[in-house]
Amino acid sequence: MLLPLSSPRVDIGQAMAAVLQVLKDCPNMTIAGLAKATGIDRRTVGKAIDLILKVQESLSSQKMEKERVGKTWIISIAKRTSEFIGTAKGKVRR
């Protein structure tokens, strides 16, 4: 996603989407390279990368689900089943 150089400020959500889109095509880039490829300021790209890494870290051990109940959306976070299996392996005796 290449934005014009005279583009207005980009919010963090748009920056994250643009960075992830560029990384799909070229998985190894520097922050400066990502900034040039997206047309977004280098500092904003750095903040987007930091936020993506924090989300990735928190979701590696947790699972987020979205379920519709009537007219309401219920958002829940639970531990991943691999952790449950790992703890169960330690408790099972043969």
Side-chain angles (χ1 to χ4, degrees):
M1 179 176 164
L2 187 59
L3 298 175
L5 294 177
S6 62
S7 66
R9 294 177 67 117
V10 176
D11 68 5
I12 195 72
Q14 290 174 334
M16 288 173 58
V19 166
L20 289 172
Q21 184 63 38
V22 169
L23 286 174
K24 284 181 184 178
D25 299 332
C26 183
N28 298 320
M29 292 187 81
T30 64
I31 290 179
L34 285 168
K36 187 174 182 180
T38 59
I40 300 172
D41 184 67
R42 181 180 53 79
R43 294 170 294 192
T44 305
V45 170
K47 290 176 186 177
I49 292 292
D50 290 341
L51 187 55
I52 291 168
L53 290 172
K54 284 181 184 177
V55 169
Q56 177 181 330
E57 182 181 321
S58 68
L59 291 179
S60 66
S61 63
Q62 297 175 344
K63 179 179 169 184
M64 180 180 276
E65 294 179 346
K66 178 180 165 184
E67 179 184 357
R68 187 162 183 110
V69 177
K71 294 182 178 182
T72 306
W73 286 100
I74 305 296
I75 310 299
S76 61
I77 294 182
K79 288 189 176 186
R80 292 203 175 268
T81 55
S82 63
E83 285 190 11
F84 291 134
I85 293 170
T87 57
K89 283 182 182 178
K91 294 179 181 178
V92 173
R93 295 184 186 182
R94 292 186 180 213

